[in-house]
Amino acid sequence: MLRNALDLSPDRLWEAHQQAKQSLLNLVFQRTGRRLRPEAMTLGFARRATGYKRQALAFSDLPALRRIASTRPLQFVFAGKAHPKDDPGKEGIRSVLRAARELGDDIPVVYLAEYDLALALTLIAGVDVWLNTPRRPFEASGTSGMKAALNGVPSLSVLDGWWREGCVEGVTGWAIGPASPTSGQDSDHEDAVDLYRKLEHVVAPL
């Protein structure tokens, strides 16, 4: 069935994606009362919330993010649960919520509660870009990115897990940072800088 997708025209694929995106925006409104814009590039992030996933990396530099969004509208949809005893994971969720409050309507950020398979189905198919920012080398696989690929959604992801094999730059998506980064906080800064660079100069203009 997936091979048959190669015979579909770009227009039909784009129409199908727009329908999936509208389904996601409808779900966001039903759950949060917030209306996201169909014309804005929508980045998705949904997976188990734990420290090495760095779910708030995209909000490391809010002025830089605002600068990008001033010419290319952006919005984010987050989901994912932390283990009850995973304090760094829970703090990561709080960091996203703090950024969402600070960004307000300039860059809409929603965090959908009660992440499950049904929500994943709508969310992964409906976003425009799948964001993945783990700290290397802790990403064992990266199945959410695989599911995004099967839904025709490109990834903007750190080169770890399956993405080291799956990334064809500019075709299946885009890499964040080098394959072999520096360690610790230096890696966080290095990856954040490259994330903003790719977002501003490559991904958002497309």
Side-chain angles (χ1 to χ4, degrees), residues 183-203:
S183 60
Q185 295 303 314
D186 290 338
S187 169
D188 293 353
H189 175 72
E190 186 178 52
D191 288 345
V193 168
D194 198 50
L195 167 59
Y196 291 129
R197 182 182 66 82
K198 283 278 176 71
L199 197 56
E200 181 172 13
H201 299 293
V202 182
V203 183

Side-chain angles (χ1 to χ4, degrees), residues 146-165:
M146 297 178 190
K147 289 183 286 189
L150 292 174
N151 281 276
V153 174
S155 284
L156 177 60
S157 176
V158 167
L159 286 164
D160 200 12
W162 86 287
W163 191 236
R164 291 196 66 158
E165 300 172 72

Side-chain angles (χ1 to χ4, degrees), residues 23-38:
S23 294
L24 171 61
L25 301 188
N26 291 343
L27 179 66
V28 168
F29 179 70
Q30 290 167 9
R31 291 199 175 195
T32 70
R34 194 162 192 184
R35 292 192 184 277
L36 299 185
R37 295 170 289 176

Side-chain angles (χ1 to χ4, degrees), residues 17 38 41 63 74 161 176 185:
H17 174 65
M41 184 173 74
L74 305 174
I176 299 171
Q185 295 303 314

